Amino acid sequence: MTIPLSKSQLAINGGPPTIAQPLELFHSVGEEEAQAAVEVIRSGVLSAYVGAPGDFFMGGPRVRRLEAQAAEYFGVKHAVAVNSWTSGLIASIGAIGVEPGDEIITTPWTMAATATAILHWNAIPVFADIDPVSYNIDPASVERLISPRTRGIMAVDIFGQSCDIDALRAIATKHQIKLLVDTAQSPGALYKGRHAGTQADIGGYSLNYHKHIHSGEGGIIVTNDDHLAERTRLIRNHAECVVQPTSPADLSNMLGYNFRMGEIEAAIASVQLGKLKERVASRQRAAAELSTALAGLEGLSTPVVSEHCTHVYYVYGLHIDIDALGVSRQRIAEALRAEGVPGVMTGYQNVHMYPMFQQKIAYGTSGFPWTSPYCTREVNYDFGICPVAEDLHTRTFIGLNLCMCEFQSSDIQRVAMAFHKIWSQLNALKD
């Protein structure tokens, strides 16, 4: 792709923007989804769940159809539909039998629900640093944080590609702990030919509005473990109503919820799942074209696909060498937005820096669960515990949301033109 270089003044300084008209937003819902929803409405069955023993404890026909379809698609024994992926995270952590005061190691470079789902069970999140290239949790950092109270690892397949699942599995096996993976952003990504999220004890995907599969809200838990699958299904649907007193060992964490997906959402998600492969291919094409077009720009690193992985590009992650360029990340981002580039992100998340963790206040005002007698050691959330994630968030990371727009080849060319225009006039951005 040949990128013509604009000689005009930067838009941030009063010149014409490279992308004068907003790019077409990605519209994931079409006639097939509308027809699926209409069929549900006409059936009169919007949800068939019953929170009591019986056939409909497992939900209605479309929920069950989606679960069977997802299990086949992702190559797992069990797929469990829930009303959100946050619900899926809560159910998954509860399913492994976590106890109050137990520790689960996770990443700060994620959406808050990954960590707050741990707190939900009065367990303690412990934050490991991330790899500076893939942005996924760093197995070496995880290993250093193992303690006698560690119950599991909650990895995250961030931005569209799998974490180093083999290294994390080795750690989990060595210490006899559970491995869970939050694959909210990476359905369709592969690790050694298998779907991301399926090689952990429990994994799963988000179905909310800006994800690859979109049913409004929703989530799908995946596992090959019969026992864990059954426990997630119980937690999903008021477990306390159906667990039999003959199995007291199974009563742990059986304070259940209404995490049930409706029939309309299931019908839409089923149609969307059938489109996942083509959507992944579209984003991979756009990312490949953009990486080719941006190659050679000084101080700019484009996404790297890890060994054994494919990438589905929920976010197109860029690293900026601000020391080499002499321009702040903030100024570059402002210039990109002024040129009309959509979906520009500065930083991502440093969950351990949120007030909840800095002040250690979750339940009530007295610091529970950190102050409970079940917590036997002080867990540190100070700035500096995750230096890679912190530097990326505060100084050097810029992301583009590739799920935001259609991104035809002509759109990618205009986005690349905006980058080249800015890089040709970096001196105009210096303070």
Side-chain angles (χ1 to χ4, degrees):
M1 182 186 295
T2 302
I3 305 300
L5 184 60
S6 172
K7 302 295 185 180
S8 63
Q9 188 179 33
L10 294 179
I12 196 173
N13 292 331
T18 304
I19 305 173
Q21 296 295 323
L23 300 185
E24 180 185 357
L25 295 177
F26 177 63
H27 298 291
S28 65
V29 177
E31 184 57 36
E32 292 172 282
E33 289 85 355
Q35 184 60 39
V38 167
E39 289 175 2
V40 173
I41 293 169
R42 286 176 174 164
S43 75
V45 181
L46 303 186
S47 177
Y49 276 105
V50 175
D55 189 46
F56 286 101
F57 178 77
M58 302 297 288
R62 285 154 181 92
V63 166
R64 300 188 199 195
R65 188 182 308 162
L66 171 64
E67 291 177 337
Q69 178 188 2
E72 180 179 5
Y73 188 96
F74 294 112
V76 292
K77 288 180 68 176
H78 305 282
V80 181
V82 285
N83 61 356
S84 76
W85 179 232
T86 297
S87 299
L89 289 166
I90 293 171
S92 298
I93 294 167
I96 68 171
V98 66
E99 298 278 352
D102 282 348
E103 297 172 5
I104 294 183
I105 299 172
T106 190
T107 166
W109 193 257
T110 183
M111 193 267 184
T114 308
T116 57
I118 299 167
L119 283 174
H120 179 92
W121 297 102
N122 296 310
I124 306 299
V126 176
F127 293 100
D129 209 353
I130 63 173
D131 178 82
V133 177
S134 71
Y135 312 115
N136 279 313
I137 195 168
D138 178 3
S141 181
V142 170
E143 179 72 58
R144 290 192 294 269
L145 291 170
I146 297 289
S147 83
R149 292 304 303 269
T150 304
R151 178 71 174 183
I153 302 165
M154 172 63 81
V156 176
D157 295 332
I158 204 70
F159 293 166
Q161 70 172 325
S162 174
C163 58
D164 187 346
I165 198 71
D166 282 353
L168 294 172
R169 170 55 72 192
I171 294 170
T173 300
K174 173 183 175 182
H175 296 281
Q176 298 183 321
I177 58 179
K178 294 295 185 183
L179 175 59
L180 299 88
V181 179
D182 176 350
T183 312
Q185 298 180 0
S186 306
L190 302 178
Y191 181 88
K192 292 186 175 180
R194 294 173 60 189
H195 281 278
T198 66
Q199 298 173 61
D201 294 300
I202 307 181
Y205 314 103
S206 173
L207 312 181
N208 85 322
Y209 85 96
H210 49 76
K211 298 299 196 303
H212 292 74
I213 308 170
H214 164 33
S215 62
E217 296 292 346
I220 299 175
I221 302 166
V222 291
T223 182
N224 288 307
D225 187 299
D226 296 344
H227 179 66
L228 294 177
E230 180 65 15
R231 286 177 64 81
T232 59
R233 292 187 185 106
L234 288 165
I235 294 170
R236 169 181 69 177
N237 188 12
H238 301 292
E240 65 275 13
C241 296
V242 295
V243 174
Q244 300 301 309
T246 54
S247 304
D250 288 335
L251 292 176
S252 65
N253 297 337
M254 286 295 105
L255 182 66
Y257 302 89
N258 182 346
F259 288 163
R260 308 176 302 204
M261 176 183 281
E263 289 287 278
I264 292 176
E265 290 86 350
I268 293 172
S270 183
V271 174
Q272 293 264 306
L273 181 56
K275 300 178 179 180
L276 178 58
K277 187 175 181 179
E278 65 186 67
R279 288 182 180 168
V280 165
S282 175
R283 281 159 194 156
Q284 289 173 334
R285 171 202 50 79
E289 291 176 356
L290 189 55
S291 292
T292 298
L294 299 183
L297 290 181
E298 180 189 3
L300 182 68
S301 299
T302 55
V304 174
V305 181
S306 301
E307 187 179 9
H308 308 305
C309 290
T310 65
H311 204 309
V312 300
Y313 296 101
Y314 175 74
V315 170
Y316 183 87
L318 296 159
H319 180 268
I320 303 231
D321 187 345
I322 59 174
D323 296 323
L325 297 180
V327 180
S328 72
R329 186 262 311 271
Q330 189 62 33
R331 287 288 286 165
I332 291 173
E334 290 170 354
L336 286 167
R337 294 186 185 111
E339 295 296 337
V341 176
V344 176
M345 305 159 49
T346 53
Y348 188 60
Q349 310 270 2
N350 271 180
V351 173
H352 66 298
M353 297 308 299
Y354 288 176
M356 175 183 294
F357 296 101
Q358 289 300 296
Q359 300 181 35
K360 293 185 177 176
I361 295 176
Y363 294 97
T365 59
S366 61
F368 193 89
W370 293 276
T371 57
S372 77
Y374 302 103
C375 294
T376 56
R377 73 182 187 101
E378 185 76 13
V379 176
N380 179 22
Y381 299 130
D382 291 346
F383 188 85
I385 65 168
C386 297
V388 174
E390 291 159 4
D391 187 64
L392 284 163
H393 178 62
T394 57
R395 298 175 64 244
T396 60
F397 177 83
I398 287 182
L400 300 180
N401 184 350
L402 283 194
C403 289
M404 183 176 177
C405 297
E406 293 286 351
F407 286 113
Q408 304 298 332
S409 293
S410 58
D411 300 326
I412 292 297
Q413 183 175 40
R414 288 191 286 169
V415 169
M417 286 174 61
F419 273 87
H420 280 264
K421 178 182 177 182
I422 291 166
W423 253 251
S424 72
Q425 302 182 53
L426 284 173
N427 285 334
L429 295 178
K430 292 182 179 179
D431 296 331

